[in-house]
Amino acid sequence: MSGVATAVRPVRNLSSTTIVYLVLLLAVIAGAVLTAMNGRNFFSTGNLRDILTATSILGFFAIGQTLVVLAGSLDLSVPFVGSLASLVGAVTMAGVTGNIVLGVLLALAISAAIGLVNGLIVAFWGVHGFIATLGMGLILSGYLGTNYPGPTSRLAPTAFELLGRSYIGPLPVSTLIMLGLAGLIILVLRQSTIGLHLYAVGGNREIARLSGIRVQPPIIFAHTMCSLLAGMAGLLYLSRTGGGSPTFAEQAGYDLLSIAAVVLGGTLLAGGKGKLLGTIGGVAIFAVMNNVMAVMDVNSFLRDVFRGAVIILAVAVYARRSITSRPPRFVSGKADTTPGAPDSVRTVDAQAQETR
């Protein structure tokens, strides 16, 4: 028995991010074997480009969703924000190269404004993000359905389409942009005050407030950035297809897929714990899974069944690890509310640091 316990202990000591990338490695090995059995080369340049390209749009959605989940909220309006951004960009550009900058700025400004409204509702009205963004999503869905009955014709200028179709070596430019943004946001989460407060508010909003942290700015920041990144995903779709669509993100299920990638990456759905690096690994796992299932011509029903089984298994593993190996992150109701009590602040900040 002691030998088994000794063998299990190193596994329990692995971080969630390490587990995610080990699972990604296993997925790549399994994918290489399965595609080889179908007479295809998993590591061919074309196939690797397809996988990396597939990570780009979902990656933008998942990065934003990670910020919102870390703050203890959710955002279900992102597919409609992405679709709206693709249409606003397409209509504004109207095939004119000189309108590219205006189209990009207008689409991103509208996306950020929608996220700002979401954040204000959640932060100041106390409405849970699930409900607030569900309502915002319905409003946007009604607007899109009324004003855009279908995809636009090819309205993106050729120069803008190069963004979604260019490569540097085997790497798509869109993937490099997504990874660059992910690196920037990781830096913000680790080194900035807003990043520290985001973890603290997501871990326990009330204790964070009692510790002197203003709880509204991190929530507003997370929702605004989430919508802004959804707008970027919409513009990336526009650059690939040349036209906007009122339903592309909703049909692809990017709202639920982005949440699934966040959970698969090890971020606690209740907020306050997780790493963006794990989310990127989760996105890559979904991209590999989808690629292999496409090669094997698995029907869409079984694809959803397999994705669902992977998500449930991942959550079960993380929940089991939390129960058996981790102490409580915050002790509810134990915060020292005495004015000038530095220990309570130090405790929240220190524990938030541990989760980053």
Side-chain angles (χ1 to χ4, degrees), residues 262-298:
V262 172
V263 173
L264 189 61
T267 297
L268 193 65
L269 198 55
K273 178 180 178 296
K275 295 181 179 179
L276 190 54
L277 199 58
T279 297
I280 299 301
V283 171
I285 291 172
F286 273 122
V288 171
M289 286 170 48
N290 291 337
N291 179 270
V292 173
M293 288 190 288
V295 170
M296 297 181 67
D297 199 23
V298 177

Side-chain angles (χ1 to χ4, degrees), residues 243-334:
S245 168
T247 58
F248 89 90
E250 183 184 7
Q251 289 179 344
Y254 282 126
D255 47 354
L256 298 182
L257 272 180
S258 62
I259 295 173
V262 172
V263 173
L264 189 61
T267 297
L268 193 65
L269 198 55
K273 178 180 178 296
K275 295 181 179 179
L276 190 54
L277 199 58
T279 297
I280 299 301
V283 171
I285 291 172
F286 273 122
V288 171
M289 286 170 48
N290 291 337
N291 179 270
V292 173
M293 288 190 288
V295 170
M296 297 181 67
D297 199 23
V298 177
N299 67 56
S300 58
F301 173 74
L302 288 179
R303 292 185 192 188
D304 289 339
V305 170
F306 193 66
R307 291 192 196 103
V310 171
I311 293 167
I312 292 172
L313 180 62
V315 174
V317 169
Y318 294 141
R320 179 67 179 169
R321 281 164 49 83
S322 298
I323 291 171
T324 57
S325 63
R326 293 188 65 85
R329 290 170 297 114
F330 297 99
V331 182
S332 179
K334 297 295 184 182

Side-chain angles (χ1 to χ4, degrees), residues 65-234:
Q65 200 70 258
T66 302
L67 296 174
V68 173
V69 173
L70 284 175
S73 186
L74 284 174
D75 194 331
L76 299 181
S77 66
V78 287
F80 307 104
V81 176
S83 295
L84 180 62
S86 74
L87 292 164
V88 170
V91 173
T92 306
M93 293 177 192
V96 180
T97 303
N99 290 340
I100 291 178
V101 174
L102 178 61
V104 170
L105 292 179
L106 187 59
L108 295 183
I110 291 174
S111 301
I114 293 170
L116 178 63
V117 173
N118 284 336
L120 291 172
I121 293 173
V122 174
F124 288 102
W125 288 4
V127 180
H128 193 279
F130 180 90
I131 300 299
T133 58
L134 178 63
M136 179 62 76
L138 291 174
I139 293 171
L140 294 176
S141 177
Y143 175 79
L144 291 170
T146 303
N147 294 279
Y148 300 97
T152 63
S153 56
R154 299 180 67 86
L155 294 175
T158 302
F160 187 72
E161 292 185 31
L162 291 177
L163 175 67
R165 301 177 181 178
S166 298
Y167 300 88
I168 298 179
L171 300 175
V173 171
S174 58
T175 303
L176 293 174
I177 294 174
M178 185 271 289
L179 293 177
L181 277 171
L184 182 62
I185 292 178
I186 288 174
L187 194 64
V188 170
L189 289 174
R190 290 183 177 178
Q191 302 295 332
S192 70
T193 302
I194 192 75
L196 175 66
H197 289 180
L198 190 67
Y199 279 92
V201 171
N204 191 309
R205 184 171 176 175
E206 184 61 17
I207 291 182
R209 186 185 68 80
L210 293 173
S211 300
I213 294 174
R214 294 180 61 206
V215 298
Q216 291 87 4
I219 296 173
I220 295 171
F221 168 77
H223 276 283
T224 303
M225 287 300 299
C226 184
S227 288
L228 184 63
L229 287 161
M232 291 182 182

